[in-house]
């Protein structure tokens, strides 16, 4: 973990510890020059860009839709052990403040209302070890929240507040359809600044940054350059229509502050995990029962193929779904359910959206020959 901190210093962006050291997280504001275009109708792309409507630089409608559905989360946790470590990420705290003593620890993060009856999705690390949670809505009303369930393998959690009225929710975007270069907004509560909106583009998809150190973890993040900082964890990444594209989770940084690289959990995976937690109390995971690694030019040369994209099978579990479905060591998975597979991270995400018993149509390249297989996921 310490080695990772050198390249992903902030690592987990939420659960920013406030305590008496909150002033360290308060941004220093300064005047900047303002660029005026002289026109309110400045567009990023012409109509017909990838078959989508043109995207204006004026994101007011998307921001307005999103802000009312994004909440501020404050957690409290009891100290653990002599170091007094509580909810906030240990390395994150030590990186900023050094060792800490006992006493109740507090942390901040964000969340997104996903059901009108008070269900909220956030990151697992925002609520981990919390003894109490307080949610502040966009209109500044505050409510106590309870944890419905968590999934450390995706760093997602669902919490709930109780109130009689319906709450605003965000429609889900199809994160599979997100394109590199399209505009996105990040909405959350960075550095304890409530209801903050930043804009950027999708920089990459299917990123595995080895952040979640859990067996069976799923990392296929959407990378963006929208400004994200500690406290944004659990907040929304939305498209220009104000639809939820992902849940912000991490930044790549050597300083702990935004340096242009932020990551979000794709909405399609979020939806599946949230539905599982609400219905069953925990994620229902199905597995292929195979070991995989990314294809690249070096591996392609080693095994004698010209295929450089896909997921290479280096292990097949006896009795697993993969073995039953005919997957063999040396196969290269190139498609799942008709979707092209570029990396092992993409494969993990798609499989992670399935449940035990679900069947997947899998295309493999086996020694140069294309094979169509049907594999049923197992526990």
């Amino acid at each position: 973990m310490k080695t990772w901190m050198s390249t992903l210093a902030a690592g987990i962006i939420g659960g920013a510890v406030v305590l008496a050291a909150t002033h360290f997280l308060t941004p220093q504001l300064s005047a900047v020059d303002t660029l005026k275009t002289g026109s309110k109708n400045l567009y990023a792309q012409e109509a017909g860009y990838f078959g989508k409507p043109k995207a204006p630089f004026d994101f007011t409608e998307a921001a307005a839709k999103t802000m009312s559905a994004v909440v501020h989360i404050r957690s409290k946790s009891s100290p653990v052990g002599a170091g007094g470590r509580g909810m906030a990420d240990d390395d994150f705290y030590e990186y900023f403040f050094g060792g800490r003593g006992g006493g109740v620890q507090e942390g901040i993060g964000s969340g997104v209302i996903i059901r009108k009856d008070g269900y909220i999705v956030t990151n697992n690390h925002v609520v981990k070890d919390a003894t109490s949670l307080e949610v502040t809505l966009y209109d500044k009303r505050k409510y106590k929240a309870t944890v419905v369930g968590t999934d450390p393998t995706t760093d997602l959690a669902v919490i709930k507040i109780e109130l009689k009225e319906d709450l605003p929710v965000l429609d889900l975007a199809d994160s599979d359809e997100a394109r590199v270069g399209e505009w996105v907004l990040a909405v959350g509560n960075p550095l304890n600044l409530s209801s903050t909106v930043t804009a950027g583009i999708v920089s990459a998809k299917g990123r595995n940054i080895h952040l979640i150190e859990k067996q069976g973890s799923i990392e296929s993040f959407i990378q963006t350059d929208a400004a994200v900082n500690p406290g944004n964890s659990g907040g929304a990444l939305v498209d220009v229509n104000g639809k939820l594209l992902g849940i912000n989770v991490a930044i790549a940084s050597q300083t702990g502050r935004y340096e242009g690289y932020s990551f979000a959990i794709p909405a399609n995976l979020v939806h599946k995990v949230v539905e599982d937690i609400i219905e069953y109390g925990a994620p229902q995971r199905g597995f292929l029962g195979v070991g995989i690694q990314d294809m690249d030019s070096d591996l392609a040369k080693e095994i004698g193929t010209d295929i450089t994209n896909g997921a290479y099978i280096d292990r097949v579990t006896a009795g697993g779904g993969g073995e039953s479905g005919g997957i063999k060591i040396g196969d290269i998975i190139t498609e799942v359910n008709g979707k092209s597979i570029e990396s092992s991270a993409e494969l993990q995400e798609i499989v992670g959206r399935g449940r035990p018993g679900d069947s997947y149509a899998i295309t493999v390249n086996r020694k140069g020959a294309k094979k169509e297989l049907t594999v049923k996921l197992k526990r």
Side-chain angles (χ1 to χ4, degrees), residues 67-68 70-72 134-143 189 194-195:
M67 287 191 295
S68 60
V70 176
V71 304
H72 181 281
E134 181 183 78
V135 168
T136 303
L137 302 180
Y138 179 64
D139 61 10
K140 299 182 180 179
R141 286 181 294 164
K142 297 182 179 181
Y143 295 90
N189 305 281
S194 62
S195 302

Side-chain angles (χ1 to χ4, degrees), residues 175-215:
S175 54
D176 286 347
E177 297 300 315
R179 292 181 179 270
V180 174
E182 74 172 77
W183 285 98
V184 289
L185 303 179
V187 184
N189 305 281
L191 309 179
N192 216 22
L193 298 171
S194 62
S195 302
T196 297
V197 180
T198 58
I201 63 169
V202 173
S203 303
K205 295 178 62 180
R207 289 295 199 208
N208 184 339
I209 58 176
H210 306 289
L211 175 68
I212 306 173
E213 296 180 346
K214 296 286 184 181
Q215 184 175 2

Side-chain angles (χ1 to χ4, degrees), residues 51-208:
K52 295 185 177 182
K54 53 188 177 181
F57 279 111
D58 182 356
F59 298 118
T60 54
E61 289 188 13
K65 287 181 181 179
T66 308
M67 287 191 295
S68 60
V70 176
V71 304
H72 181 281
I73 299 173
R74 183 177 297 275
S75 73
K76 291 184 179 181
S77 61
S78 299
V80 179
R85 291 177 174 176
M87 161 269 176
D89 179 75
D90 296 331
D91 288 318
F92 174 87
Y93 188 95
E94 291 176 356
Y95 183 84
F96 281 115
F97 309 119
R100 52 180 162 164
V104 175
Q105 311 298 325
E106 294 189 0
I108 58 172
S110 303
V112 179
I113 303 170
I114 37 85
R115 286 198 182 182
K116 61 184 180 181
D117 54 350
Y119 286 96
I120 297 166
V121 62
T122 185
N123 289 140
N124 176 62
H125 71 260
V126 171
V127 302
K128 181 182 178 183
D129 299 327
T131 55
S132 67
L133 294 171
E134 181 183 78
V135 168
T136 303
L137 302 180
Y138 179 64
D139 61 10
K140 299 182 180 179
R141 286 181 294 164
K142 297 182 179 181
Y143 295 90
K144 295 296 182 182
T146 57
V147 176
V148 178
T150 64
D151 179 20
T153 65
T154 58
D155 199 9
L156 288 170
V158 177
I159 64 176
K160 192 176 188 301
I161 59 175
E162 300 293 339
L163 68 172
K164 296 180 179 180
E165 67 195 73
D166 290 345
L167 292 172
V169 299
L170 293 183
D171 293 331
L172 290 176
D174 183 350
S175 54
D176 286 347
E177 297 300 315
R179 292 181 179 270
V180 174
E182 74 172 77
W183 285 98
V184 289
L185 303 179
V187 184
N189 305 281
L191 309 179
N192 216 22
L193 298 171
S194 62
S195 302
T196 297
V197 180
T198 58
I201 63 169
V202 173
S203 303
K205 295 178 62 180
R207 289 295 199 208
N208 184 339

